Structure formats: structure tokens, C-alpha cells
Amino acid sequence: MNEMNELLTETAETPVYDTVTLEDIADTVASAKNALILTHVNPDGDCIGAAFALRRLILACGGQARVICPNDLPKRLRFLASDSLYMTEDEEPYNTRFDPETEDISVYDCILSVDVASPMQLGDLAVLIPHIRYMIDHHGMGEPFAPNYIDPTASAAGEIIFRLYTGLKQRGTVGIVPEAARRMYAAIVSDTGSFKFSNTTSGTHHIAAELVDEINNADDGGMDTADVCRSLFGQRTLKELTAQMLAIQNLRFYENGRLGAVLFTQQMLADAGLTEEEIGNVVDTPRGVEGVLIGISLRQLAADPTQYKVSSRANADIDCAAVCANFGGGGHTRAAGCTITADDPEEALARMAEAFGEKIREKRE
């Protein structure tokens, strides 16, 4: 970890990186012989879907590609990492683990990151930053760490990969690639909350419509869009329901009910027989309460109990990303996250309640 901390310090002293075009990235994707694609810690549906869609595009161009993640993929999203999207219960998904200390990166002629907004989001994979060719992202608040294509107007990283896909088709480099299309669709549906979130634009709907046509007309025996959505949202494990129940039991409210929060400690998880992965997107629980303008969740990390993963979601025009940026995180205006250090859980919760509460008070003024 010392090596990573030194690298992050070094990166912070290099504030400006070149911006690149989608054409630049398309040139690299079309010519890549063996690419490595990096994702962020605690990857979500957009991150995994976009990364594996990009992998499919590289394969369609005749190259090889591997997707890696700083930690294990959530069980409910592992179908996106399978070779066919259809998996049996005991089937292992595509290998996404990587040890930068023992594995030889010289075998890769191209390293790309997808949906990663800052060096901290790479976790232990941050040691690969000097080797990253391009950073592809859509977060408005973050910290560039490589030559980059960042479009905050895109609803999801999957939307950017779709534009790349369109460009490659226009060049005649690839034809229709249904397995890539399915993953792009999953990425966009995930990050827009099934098109309910404010990041959904008319352009998002046009892209989704084109993907629906490609996916549902594909004659390859793969999933249709209903199958993809059912796998993403239509089934929940008993553990996930237990996590939601625990979140409801531990709801806290501040700012006269305008800020809702839920805190998970490692002891709470142990008592309930839950893992960090099984908590899911619990930030939606406080956000879903009537009158709440911002919902936040804090999760104590097993690797370092002094650290807490914070997620925030806003129901109003309040800049969550600006708050998280003050703690080394980032994201979108209405959906952002960070990791903070605190001596105990109550201190962590109090700090976040004050930080987000200030934003709510500013809006009321």
C-alpha cells in the first residue's frame, strides 16, 4: 500500500492530462492485440457492463482483452462477466482478479480504465496508473489520472461505449455485436435507475431504443432486453431482503427529515449474517422516504474498520458530488460517493450528516 500512496501523491502533483477524442480511442481499440481494462472498487452495473462491452468490442476487432477489478464482483452482477450472459448457478464468471505485484503487465499493449473517476477508485490497481493509455469516464467531479475522455453529459459509461461502438461500425471495423450491446444496455439501465434518474436524457432514450432493436432482433440465442432487466432487478436474494430490513430498522433523519441516513457497521453485518456485498444499494432506502432530499449510506469496511464507504443520492438539485469531492471522492450532481476515515461509526455518521446537512440548509436559504 505504501507504493500506492506514493503513486497517488505523485499523481496529485500532475494536475493536467491530455484530453482525447473517441476517434483516438477507436484507433486504439481497433488495433489492440491484448488489452487490459480496469474497473473501480465496488463496481456497479454501469462499470461492469461498460467494461465487458468494451472487451467484446476489442474481441470483435480481432484482439484479446481482459477485465480486472480491485475486488470481487457482486454476485447479482456476475452474469455480465460470463461469456454468454447465461450462467448456471455453479458456473464461475470471467476471471477479474489481478495481482500487480506478481503478474506481468508487459503482455498487454494497451491498458484502459472505464467508469473510474479518481485514483482512489482504482484501489490497489492504482499502481498501474503510469501504464494507462486512456481513462474513459462520465463523472463531472473527479480527478483525472491519465489521458482522458470524460463526458459528464453521458448518463452512463455504457453510453460512451455505445458511441465508440457506433464509430467502429461506421468505419466498417465491426458489425453488430449483440453481446456488447446487451452489456451496454445493462450499463445504461443500471446507472439511470431504469431511466428514472435525472441523468436520463432524450439521447439516452434514443441509444436505448437502438440497443433494444439490436438485442431483441439478434438471432444468437442470447438474452433479450427483458431477460437483462430481470437479471438486474427482477430477483432478490433473502440476504438482500435482510439487508433492506436492517436498513429500515436503522434509519436516521436530520434537517427536519430532509436528510435520511443509514449506517452499517461490521458488527451489524456479522450479527445479521451479511457480507458487504449483500448490502446492495441501500442508499435507496433512506432516499425513498417521503420528504427526504438527500439519502446517504455509510458502510464500515472490513479491511480497515476506521474507513467508511459513503454513498449519496439526491431527490433535488443538490450537488452531492461537491460534498464528496471534499473527502476525496466524486461522482454526479445527484449521485456521488467517497471514503472517509473516522475513529468510530458515530463520528463518521456525524461528519457526513453535517456535510450534507449544510448543502440542504444552503438550498433552503
Side-chain angles (χ1 to χ4, degrees):
M1 292 299 291
N2 287 337
E3 183 179 356
M4 185 181 81
N5 291 334
E6 291 173 5
L7 179 59
L8 294 180
T9 300
E10 182 179 308
T11 302
E13 295 171 353
T14 311
V16 179
Y17 290 92
D18 291 337
T19 58
V20 300
T21 66
L22 277 180
E23 288 73 21
D24 295 326
I25 298 173
D27 288 341
T28 296
V29 167
S31 61
K33 298 294 189 296
N34 193 14
L36 188 65
I37 302 168
L38 314 184
T39 61
H40 60 66
V41 295
N42 303 312
D44 55 14
D46 180 31
C47 180
I48 298 172
F52 277 92
L54 179 57
R55 174 179 179 261
R56 283 286 171 172
L57 294 183
I58 293 172
L59 295 179
C61 290
Q64 295 295 318
R66 178 182 176 190
V67 177
I68 60 172
C69 181
N71 52 337
D72 289 333
L73 302 184
K75 184 176 180 180
R76 69 181 185 86
L77 297 175
R78 290 179 188 173
F79 77 100
L80 294 171
S82 71
D83 278 336
S84 65
L85 283 188
Y86 279 114
M87 293 178 64
T88 61
E89 185 65 28
D90 59 350
E91 184 180 350
E92 287 295 322
Y94 184 83
N95 176 27
T96 59
R97 298 314 301 271
F98 183 84
D99 185 350
E101 293 187 0
T102 60
E103 296 197 47
D104 181 13
I105 65 166
S106 68
V107 300
Y108 301 102
D109 62 316
C110 172
I111 299 181
L112 307 164
S113 70
V114 176
D115 199 42
V116 184
S118 68
M120 289 296 294
Q121 286 195 314
L122 282 169
D124 290 343
L125 298 181
V127 297
L128 298 178
I129 286 176
H131 308 284
I132 295 175
R133 177 83 61 86
Y134 296 131
M135 166 189 175
I136 304 169
D137 190 38
H138 71 119
H139 296 95
M141 297 288 290
E143 182 185 343
F145 48 82
N148 56 80
Y149 181 89
I150 302 173
D151 182 4
T153 69
S155 69
E159 191 170 310
I160 297 175
I161 301 303
F162 173 84
R163 296 176 196 162
L164 176 65
Y165 176 41
T166 299
L168 290 170
K169 285 193 291 185
Q170 290 173 345
R171 292 182 178 196
T173 306
V174 301
I176 291 177
V177 187
E179 290 291 10
R182 292 179 178 105
R183 289 165 174 82
M184 291 176 221
Y185 185 76
I188 293 169
V189 170
S190 293
D191 237 30
T192 60
S194 297
F195 310 106
K196 296 191 300 289
F197 297 163
S198 61
N199 59 337
T200 306
T201 66
S202 59
T204 305
H205 283 293
H206 284 299
I207 290 170
E210 188 168 334
L211 289 171
V212 168
D213 283 342
E214 284 196 10
I215 294 166
N216 292 347
N217 291 322
D219 187 20
D220 64 347
M223 285 183 168
D224 62 18
T225 52
D227 293 329
V228 172
C229 290
R230 189 178 305 110
S231 295
L232 287 172
F233 309 114
Q235 48 194 2
R236 305 179 70 181
T237 66
L238 181 58
K239 293 286 190 179
E240 288 171 332
L241 291 174
T242 300
Q244 184 178 24
M245 179 183 69
L246 191 59
I248 293 171
Q249 291 172 341
N250 288 278
L251 281 172
R252 304 197 200 184
F253 298 95
Y254 306 85
E255 306 298 330
N256 295 317
R258 290 175 172 81
L259 174 64
V262 62
L263 167 69
F264 283 92
T265 66
Q266 285 298 314
Q267 187 60 55
M268 290 168 60
L269 296 181
D271 291 344
L274 298 171
T275 65
E276 292 181 16
E277 176 187 309
E278 290 162 341
I279 296 176
N281 200 20
V282 294
V283 70
D284 285 334
T285 301
R287 185 181 66 160
V289 177
E290 183 180 6
V292 168
L293 298 183
I294 299 178
I296 62 174
S297 67
L298 287 81
R299 183 177 78 245
Q300 187 180 38
L301 301 183
D304 183 352
T306 68
Q307 290 197 321
Y308 298 81
K309 175 70 176 176
V310 181
S311 295
S312 63
R313 300 288 187 273
N315 292 326
D317 188 18
I318 301 176
D319 196 347
C320 292
V323 177
C324 291
N326 290 331
F327 296 92
H332 306 289
T333 300
R334 294 196 181 191
C338 61
T339 300
I340 66 168
T341 301
D343 291 335
D344 59 68
E346 292 301 322
E347 177 192 337
L349 182 58
R351 288 174 61 193
M352 291 296 96
E354 174 57 30
F356 284 99
E358 182 179 353
K359 278 293 181 183
I360 290 175
R361 294 191 294 274
E362 288 176 0
K363 182 174 179 62
R364 293 179 65 186
E365 293 171 358

